[in-house]
Amino acid sequence: MAFWDGLLRGRSAQFDTGSAATNSISLTKRHPTVSLTKQGAATGHLRVNLSWRMRTSDIEGRSRQSGLLRHPFKLFQPDVVQAHTQGMVNVDLDLGCLYELTDGAKGVVQPLGGFFGSTNEPPYVRLSGDDRFGSGSGETVYVNLDHHAEIKRMLFFVYIYDQTPAFDRTHALVTLFPSSGPRVEIELDERAPQARSCAVFTMENVKGELTVRREVKFVYGFQAELDRLYGWGLQWGRGYKSKL
């Protein structure tokens, strides 16, 4: 019993990430905010990246673990890839940003509608492209913080474009890469099986100090519901992506 128990513990330890990553800050419920100004990171280009991969451990992991306890020699057999199961649903996550500038201008940067923005002129926010498959690079939004005095607030959000609400089947991570100082990581780690959108974080300019606050609030609608939740006051219509 102790021998197999030790093998199982040793195998799971290979996947232990913990908090040993260097030069990074994780925003959590207990520690939700960080000041980019105090970190000396309120200038240059801020890179905001969304990456994700499909979660299969919830469905396959429990059955596999129980199977290993009954048949421990299966520990040494390779995993069988299960296609066309609930655990392998393809999810198209999109990264977007609601912005409000100090002159009162408001809008959105997102793949839908081709609102890719610009870093050299208002709104000083630009989306690099649309990743429909969760590739290694993910989706990235650039913010030109050299114009942070003209930025009042921003809300970065993630939504599922297709008709399958499946946030609970993805491992999604939003990472902020300032021009200097540590990166900031926010995991979308709460379960919301029916949610279609998630407000990830806000960035506000309060008396010249640029502060990032973790939100991770899931909603069952799309951008219009996030708009109402945070009081942006924009008019929304249905949008579509071009076919590949």
Side-chain angles (χ1 to χ4, degrees), residues 41-181:
T43 58
H45 281 73
L46 171 69
R47 180 162 57 97
V48 180
N49 177 260
L50 163 68
S51 60
W52 75 92
R53 59 185 175 84
M54 297 309 301
R55 182 198 301 268
T56 59
S57 59
D58 294 333
I59 295 175
E60 297 171 28
R62 285 194 293 267
S63 61
R64 180 172 172 79
Q65 185 178 18
S66 60
L68 284 173
L69 293 175
R70 290 193 302 268
H71 306 286
F73 283 102
K74 288 186 176 181
L75 176 67
F76 304 104
Q77 296 179 1
D79 290 340
V80 178
V81 177
Q82 301 291 337
H84 305 297
T85 68
Q86 285 187 330
M88 296 297 289
V89 170
N90 288 325
V91 177
D92 179 11
L93 298 184
D94 282 340
L95 176 65
C97 173
L98 285 167
Y99 63 83
E100 181 178 1
L101 304 182
T102 54
D103 64 3
K106 297 179 182 180
V108 66
V109 171
Q110 63 177 19
L112 278 179
F115 296 107
F116 288 95
S118 172
T119 53
N120 297 320
E121 58 187 17
Y124 309 112
V125 184
R126 181 176 64 85
L127 177 66
S128 64
D130 179 15
D131 174 16
R132 303 191 184 186
F133 305 103
S135 67
S137 59
E139 292 191 3
T140 300
V141 170
Y142 296 90
V143 184
N144 187 348
L145 294 185
D146 288 337
H147 293 271
H148 71 267
E150 299 170 62
I151 297 171
K152 181 178 180 180
R153 61 172 178 156
M154 292 181 175
L155 169 65
F156 285 81
F157 60 90
V158 173
Y159 62 95
I160 296 176
Y161 171 70
D162 66 18
Q163 299 302 308
T164 305
F167 271 111
D168 62 326
R169 299 181 206 164
T170 64
H171 287 286
L173 176 70
V174 173
T175 307
L176 288 70
F177 297 91
S179 59
S180 62

Side-chain angles (χ1 to χ4, degrees), residues 3-55:
F3 172 70
W4 292 114
D5 183 58
L7 271 180
L8 291 173
R9 284 205 307 269
R11 188 175 191 238
S12 63
Q14 297 174 20
F15 302 95
D16 237 353
T17 54
S19 57
T22 60
N23 204 32
S24 66
I25 297 172
S26 294
L27 297 187
T28 64
K29 284 184 176 181
R30 294 186 63 182
H31 303 284
T33 63
V34 63
S35 170
L36 295 182
T37 302
K38 292 180 179 178
Q39 295 284 336
T43 58
H45 281 73
L46 171 69
R47 180 162 57 97
V48 180
N49 177 260
L50 163 68
S51 60
W52 75 92
R53 59 185 175 84
M54 297 309 301
R55 182 198 301 268

